[in-house]
């Protein structure tokens, strides 16, 4: 069953808007406390869909919540095991830090492995149009690699997404492509490069939808996944 997966800390009015726009059931991602608190409930840290196979952080660590609360925090690159993303037949990941079983599964079903140097892959990828391989990123390495693989990539010049208490978050973590619409967890008009983003999405026949009137906030991506 397909469900929209969001950070449990996303405001209720935003999840209500997602529900009314798309009709999918909303699943709230709970905090995995081996992650730093600010990102512990980020869907793109906790879940990775590779075709029909869903990998979850709890499956990897086989921990219940009680044990999880007592665990030491995971540090990079151990916190990016599931921070990869599939676009069409491409599995985009940092090959030496992604969960090895997910990587092997992608290889075994014949997916193209696209290796990048950035471990926080999905955090750094907003998908404007999957079929046209149109994406948005702030990461220069991802930009170059995906351009070399035939993607149309909009490289943003500013880091203008909020993620407290960090200096900034990422555009991928503040977006989700649902039903051909690119939803933003905030008001796109408050991003200094909103015109470039609008124009890029218009070029790829993608509607931009703002979920609030606030500045864009990195909640860890809005994901449409096949969940139990």
């Amino acid at each position: 069953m397909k469900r929209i997966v969001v950070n449990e800390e996303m405001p209720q009015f935003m999840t209500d808007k997602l529900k009314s726009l798309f009709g999918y059931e909303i699943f709230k991602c709970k905090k995995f406390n081996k992650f730093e608190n600010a990102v512990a409930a980020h869907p793109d840290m906790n879940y990775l869909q590779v075709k029909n196979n869903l990998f979850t952080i709890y499956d990897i660590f086989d921990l219940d919540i009680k044990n999880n609360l007592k665990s030491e925090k995971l540090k990079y690159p151990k916190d990016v095991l599931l921070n990869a993303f599939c676009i069409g037949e491409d599995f985009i990941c940092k090959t030496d830090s992604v969960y090895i079983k997910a990587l092997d599964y992608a290889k075994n079903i014949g997916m193209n492995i696209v290796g990048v140097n950035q471990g926080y892959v999905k955090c750094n990828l907003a998908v404007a149009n999957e079929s046209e391989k149109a994406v948005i990123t702030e990461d220069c390495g991802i930009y170059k690699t995906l351009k070399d693989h035939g993607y149309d990539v909009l490289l943003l010049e500013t880091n203008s997404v909020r993620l407290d208490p960090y200096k900034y978050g990422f555009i991928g973590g503040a977006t989700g492509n649902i039903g051909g619409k690119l939803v933003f967890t905030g008001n796109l008009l408050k991003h200094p490069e909103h015109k470039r983003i609008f124009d890029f999405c218009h070029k790829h026949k993608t509607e931009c939808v703002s979920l609030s009137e606030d500045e864009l906030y990195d909640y860890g991506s809005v994901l449409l996944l096949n969940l139990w």
Side-chain angles (χ1 to χ4, degrees), residues 46-86:
N46 286 272
Y47 297 95
L48 171 60
Q49 187 99 44
V50 184
K51 296 296 185 178
N52 294 323
N53 202 344
L54 179 68
F55 297 90
T56 77
I57 203 70
Y58 282 98
D59 291 336
I60 295 173
F61 287 92
D62 194 25
L63 295 172
D64 60 29
I65 294 176
K66 183 178 179 180
N67 289 334
N68 180 30
L69 288 170
K70 298 177 181 178
S71 301
E72 294 181 2
K73 302 295 184 183
L74 294 172
K75 303 298 182 183
Y76 183 86
K78 293 183 178 180
D79 62 343
V80 296
L81 290 169
L82 299 182
N83 210 308
F85 199 63
C86 298

Side-chain angles (χ1 to χ4, degrees), residues 7 10 32-34 44 48 53-54 59 79 87 89 101 112 118 134-136 139 143 159 166 175-176 227-228:
N7 187 326
M10 180 181 286
F32 181 68
N33 287 289
K34 285 175 73 69
D44 54 24
L48 171 60
N53 202 344
L54 179 68
D59 291 336
D79 62 343
I87 298 178
E89 296 304 312
K101 289 186 178 180
N112 307 311
Q118 171 61 257
V135 299
I136 305 168
D139 188 272
Y143 169 81
N159 293 103
Y166 302 110
T175 59
L227 294 181
W228 52 92

Side-chain angles (χ1 to χ4, degrees), residues 57 72 83 126 129 149 173 179 214 219:
I57 203 70
E72 294 181 2
N83 210 308
N129 188 310
H149 281 78
D214 301 318
Y219 285 102

Side-chain angles (χ1 to χ4, degrees), residues 96-115:
D96 60 357
S97 62
V98 72
Y99 184 41
I100 188 63
K101 289 186 178 180
L103 179 61
D104 287 345
Y105 178 78
K107 289 178 178 177
N108 290 337
I109 62 174
M111 297 193 73
N112 307 311
I113 308 303
V114 180

